[in-house]
Structures are given as structure tokens and as C-alpha cells.
Amino acid sequence: MSQLKDKTAIVTGGAGGIGSATCRRLAADGAKVAVFDMNLDAAEKVAADIRAAGGQAAAFRCDITDRAAVDAAVAATEAQLGPVNVLVNNAGWDVFKPFVKTAPAEWDKLIAINLVGALHMLHAVLPGMAERQSGHIVNVASDAARGGSSGEAVYSACKGGLVALSKTLAREHARHHINVNVVCPGPTDTALLAGVAEGARDPAKLIEAFKSAIPMGRLGQPEDLAQAIAFFASDDAAFITGQVLSVSGGLTMHG
């Protein structure tokens, strides 16, 4: 319960499946959680649930593709909850179709949300962490970044970029005692996966195919990811940086 006591944590996409589970887990570990999301009502619901359970949380509307909005939300967080100790870059978006059938406007949106948004958040919080000589950053990528994924070319490219960015920042900021690590979800039972399935000829068959391919025989649950993220956000991971962890039930076993 005291792993993250009195530490302030920002979770982007905090109202979604993995994001909300992460917010709740970090709050249960003692963190003061800033729930960042485009949907303020949904973010407020997550924050209210945390407070009702005895935790500390506040909701902030934030469009991570807008640097001014990011700076304003981070400033509001620090004014209300204190300096940022933990950043979880979780927000993401995908479109599932073959690359040659995608359009440049879709590339722009994918890159803006999945890569540039993380750049904005990192650029906003890293100077303060470096000045305080302390911080934990967890970037949520995807196993699509490590092994590719048909129908997710640009998404995979963004997540691959996020992995490379994380390793570079881990090197640059190790001397500041800032840990930067990556969690890669496999197929996870979220609205994003449901949206992908809806675009298939037979959504139920696609979901069953995912389950059959996973050695543990089930889809990941948001809580599975939240546990891994909470580990990297804690001092249990104090001597771990620049690492990539797949949470996929054994679907991917990258060395």
C-alpha cells in the first residue's frame, strides 16, 4: 500500500481500459493520481472511484497532441497534487487496415497520438524530474513494435519509435536517477481490441483466434498490464532502466 506513498503519478489515457486499471492500481499503492484523458467526464469517474476507495486522484482534460494543453495540464497537476514523480504514457489509438489502404490523414493522427503525444508529455515532465534527481517513466508500447502486426503498419512504426525513444532517454537520464522502461501489451480485452474486431469479417472468430494463439489461453486483462506498470513505477525497479517487458500470456517471447 505504501510503495508509491505521497508520489504524484500522471497516467495518460487514464479513463480507458488499461489506463483506468493503472490509475486504480497506482492509487492503491499510495500514489496521488492525475487522470489525463480527452474525455473529462470519464476521467472524473475514475478519479471519483479512487477517492471513494480512500485514494487520492484528480481528473484533467488533456489533448496530448497539443503541447500547450500538455503544459497546462502538467502545471495544474503539480499545483494540485505536487511535483510529478511518475509518468505513464498510456494513451493510444489505432486503425486496423492494410498499409496500402490507409490514408496520409490517418498516418498523421496515428503519429500525433501514439508518438508525438508521448514526446510532448516527456518533454514537459523530464526537466523537473532531472532537477529533483528522481523519476519513473513507463511508456506503453505494443508487441506490434517488436514483431510487427498485419494491418497495423503505422501504429507499429509509432510504437517501435517509442521503444527506441525510451532506450535513448534511459541512457540520457540514468545519471538523474530517472528510470525509463516500456511495457508491451499483447491482445488485451479493451475497447481498442473490440474496435479492431468490429472491422473483421467475423469479430467473434477473430477474438477466439487471439485466445487460441496465446499459450495461457485467454486475452490479457487491463489489470495484467497495470501490475507490470506499477512495478516499473515503483522503487522495486530502481535498478532497471531501458527495458521492454511483454505482457502477452506468452504470445510473444522476445529475447
Side-chain angles (χ1 to χ4, degrees):
M1 177 64 187
S2 61
Q3 238 335 332
L4 297 173
K5 183 173 172 57
D6 297 328
K7 293 188 176 181
T8 298
I10 292 175
V11 180
T12 68
I18 293 172
S20 62
T22 299
C23 288
R24 292 185 173 95
R25 173 57 191 265
L26 298 183
D29 286 349
K32 297 175 287 185
V33 180
V35 186
F36 277 29
D37 206 279
M38 284 284 289
N39 186 335
L40 182 58
D41 289 341
E44 290 279 14
K45 174 66 167 57
V46 174
D49 288 348
I50 289 171
R51 292 192 296 267
Q56 300 181 71
F60 301 89
R61 186 187 184 281
C62 183
D63 177 357
I64 61 171
T65 69
D66 180 342
R67 180 55 192 269
V70 166
D71 287 343
V74 170
T77 296
E78 295 196 323
Q80 187 168 340
L81 301 177
V84 177
N85 307 105
V86 175
L87 169 64
V88 180
N89 276 315
N90 165 73
W93 180 75
D94 197 8
V95 57
F96 194 79
K97 63 176 71 169
F99 174 67
V100 295
K101 293 185 178 180
T102 60
E106 292 170 323
W107 308 345
D108 291 344
K109 184 175 179 180
L110 284 160
I111 294 167
I113 295 173
N114 294 303
L115 184 56
V116 176
L119 289 168
H120 286 160
M121 291 300 309
L122 291 160
H123 207 253
V125 306
L126 273 168
M129 288 183 173
E131 183 179 347
R132 294 186 295 274
Q133 293 282 299
S134 177
H136 290 261
I137 293 169
V138 187
N139 292 321
V140 179
S142 169
D143 273 340
R146 309 183 80 185
S149 178
S150 297
E152 298 180 287
V154 181
Y155 177 83
S156 299
C158 293
K159 295 301 189 179
L162 188 58
V163 170
L165 171 66
S166 300
K167 289 177 177 289
T168 299
L169 293 180
R171 290 185 182 279
E172 290 184 356
H173 290 283
R175 64 192 176 91
H176 299 130
H177 308 288
I178 298 170
N179 304 69
V180 186
N181 291 293
V182 181
V183 170
C184 285
T188 306
D189 190 9
T190 63
L192 182 61
L193 182 65
V196 168
E198 284 175 7
R201 192 175 310 164
D202 187 337
K205 186 175 180 180
L206 179 62
I207 295 298
E208 285 305 313
F210 278 134
K211 291 180 182 177
S212 296
I214 296 170
M216 287 190 173
R218 66 172 177 86
L219 295 177
Q221 296 300 309
E223 292 74 18
D224 294 319
L225 279 302
Q227 290 169 16
I229 292 167
F231 167 67
F232 277 140
S234 77
D235 286 338
D236 284 346
F239 199 56
I240 302 172
T241 196
Q243 302 305 307
V244 183
L245 175 65
S246 292
V247 182
S248 65
L251 178 62
T252 50
M253 298 186 183
H254 300 287

